[in-house]
Amino acid sequence: MSRGDIPSRRVVLKGALAAGALSAVPVPALAVSSGAPVRNPLIERRADPHIHRHTDGFYYFTGTAPEYDRIVLRRSRTLRGLATADESVIWRKHTSGDMGAHIWAPELHRVDGAWYVYFAAGRADDVWRIRIWVLENTHPDPFRGTWTEKGRLTTAWDTFSLDATTFTHRGTRYLAWAQHEPDMDNNTGVFLSRMANPWTLTGPQVRLTTPEYDWECVGFKVNEGPAVIQRNGRVFMTYSASATDHHYCMGLLTADDRADLLDPASWTKSPAPVFASSGTTGQYGPGHNSFTVAEDGRTDVLVYHARQYKEITGDPLNDPNRHTRVQPLGWRPDGTPDFGVPVADGPVPGLTLRRGTDAGV
């Protein structure tokens, strides 16, 4: 997600958010499949997709609904099963005040024995005053128990911020996110900080990248949607750039596994996009990705959204047809990721599912 005209004024939150809670809805039913290749689009009209393969053997999916009004959750024992798995609403936007508009880019993470959802939201009366918020569910099953609002994740500045993701590196938990830095001539850059707990940052908050190349500045100057994968002695962080139309694309930051991740000098920025629109395959504006692994436990999988057409009437954010897609992530002999191009709609090469049962519960 991105926003073009970030207000120049800085508005301070008035008071703390009163804690709220929403009991999770019933568990979805079992979905049985005869077995077939994984097909794209995997899930229609779900942008900013996040798929988490948990130790319980399930894939958990969440993403942005085009109405921008709720947080949804699916699960399946297979990637293909996510396409037909029942979808549960685990939280809805507030009718007034904070978290009342633009519910964007949720991510589901299991941290310290609890489930957390990180998401962005605006105010009902100021829809572009977007900040990062956190939900918690201490039940082992995220479809059960109660989702409690932990409040806003406070960053160094009270400015436009979104797209939080969390990961651990050498025993330390980090949060990466996108934010508008005061006095910077851009919409958002990507930042990194250590975490004191799943809803609190601690120590320095450093900027890893800001839009600088032409391909990062088409329409709007945007770096957002960070995602991390650690392989081959390195830490790779993807991010998305430019406006959310067919110019949307992905960039890459790389750090040595032994480096200090909070030192911006530890990161090398690729000078060209690593994943972009393809007229040949008919996929436009790929981005806001996450990573998961195939059922074989070895094949890395790139999860992203894209549209099937280039031309959009009006604001791209009002176009609902960003669909969730998946494809294998390749690796070059030098240990760097090979994203290739977004594959055409239909069966996904390299992700043929073994025959069996897709469990929706």
Side-chain angles (χ1 to χ4, degrees):
M1 293 296 180
S2 62
R3 165 60 176 162
D5 53 342
I6 299 171
S8 59
R9 58 188 173 85
R10 297 180 64 190
V11 183
V12 179
L13 283 173
K14 296 180 180 179
L17 172 70
L22 182 73
S23 294
V25 296
V27 176
L30 187 69
V32 178
S33 168
S34 60
V38 178
R39 299 182 64 88
N40 275 342
L42 181 67
I43 302 174
E44 294 189 353
R45 294 195 167 194
R46 293 293 179 264
D48 312 323
H50 186 262
I51 296 178
H52 167 71
R53 192 185 192 197
H54 191 46
T55 54
D56 62 4
F58 286 100
Y59 289 95
Y60 291 87
F61 166 85
T62 188
T64 300
E67 297 81 9
Y68 304 153
D69 64 352
R70 64 195 185 275
I71 295 175
V72 298
L73 190 62
R74 302 183 185 197
R75 71 175 164 192
S76 170
R77 289 198 180 277
T78 63
L79 283 170
R80 180 179 180 272
L82 290 172
T84 54
D86 289 345
E87 187 171 90
S88 297
V89 177
I90 63 170
W91 183 89
R92 292 188 183 274
K93 71 176 184 179
H94 290 193
T95 58
S96 62
D98 290 321
M99 295 183 283
H102 284 156
I103 309 305
W104 285 353
E107 288 200 5
L108 176 73
H109 294 269
R110 182 73 171 173
V111 182
D112 297 336
W115 292 100
Y116 293 90
V117 171
Y118 299 88
F119 67 102
R123 284 183 57 88
D125 56 354
D126 190 356
V127 298
W128 295 110
R129 193 174 186 281
I130 292 174
R131 305 293 186 270
I132 300 167
W133 303 85
V134 186
L135 305 177
E136 178 190 63
N137 188 343
T138 59
H139 197 284
D141 183 346
F143 287 90
R144 302 185 187 276
T146 299
W147 285 97
T148 302
E149 295 169 8
K150 301 299 290 185
R152 182 164 71 93
L153 196 150
T154 303
T155 60
W157 313 293
D158 184 19
T159 61
F160 185 89
S161 50
L162 68 171
D163 295 352
T165 190
T166 184
F167 66 98
T168 57
H169 176 258
R170 294 186 174 272
T172 297
R173 180 161 294 280
Y174 294 88
L175 189 87
W177 72 98
Q179 185 162 13
H180 174 65
E181 183 176 350
D183 303 321
M184 288 288 288
D185 180 26
N186 65 12
N187 288 76
T188 51
V190 172
F191 294 81
L192 186 69
S193 178
R194 291 189 182 94
M195 304 191 80
N197 59 44
W199 59 91
T200 308
L201 302 181
T202 184
Q205 301 176 27
V206 300
R207 173 175 19 97
L208 300 185
T209 175
T210 187
E212 54 187 311
Y213 295 114
D214 289 345
W215 56 270
E216 299 176 293
C217 302
V218 182
F220 304 119
K221 297 179 179 180
V222 170
N223 285 174
E224 64 181 12
V228 171
I229 186 168
Q230 301 177 59
R231 295 285 187 275
N232 306 323
R234 278 163 281 190
V235 181
F236 301 99
M237 181 182 292
T238 54
Y239 63 92
S240 297
S242 288
T244 55
D245 56 14
H246 68 278
H247 296 105
Y248 206 53
C249 59
M250 283 166 43
L252 181 67
L253 302 173
T254 303
D256 188 279
D257 182 72
R258 298 162 296 180
D260 176 7
L261 299 189
L262 290 175
D263 181 357
S266 297
W267 297 87
T268 300
K269 183 175 181 174
S270 297
V274 295
F275 201 57
S277 294
S278 172
T280 301
T281 60
Q283 303 299 317
Y284 299 96
H288 202 122
N289 78 287
S290 59
F291 297 102
T292 189
V293 66
E295 287 89 341
D296 61 12
R298 300 185 304 273
T299 304
D300 289 312
V301 176
L302 176 66
V303 184
Y304 62 98
H305 72 234
R307 291 186 179 89
Q308 296 152 315
Y309 47 86
K310 182 176 181 179
E311 301 303 326
I312 299 171
T313 300
D315 189 338
L317 288 177
N318 295 328
D319 182 290
N321 295 315
R322 291 182 293 177
H323 305 322
T324 294
R325 292 175 161 82
V326 295
Q327 64 189 65
L329 176 67
W331 294 95
R332 299 185 179 91
D334 65 358
T336 60
D338 183 358
F339 293 86
V341 299
V343 299
D345 287 353
V348 180
L351 285 184
T352 301
L353 176 68
R354 69 186 188 282
R355 293 188 176 273
T357 299
D358 295 345
V361 297

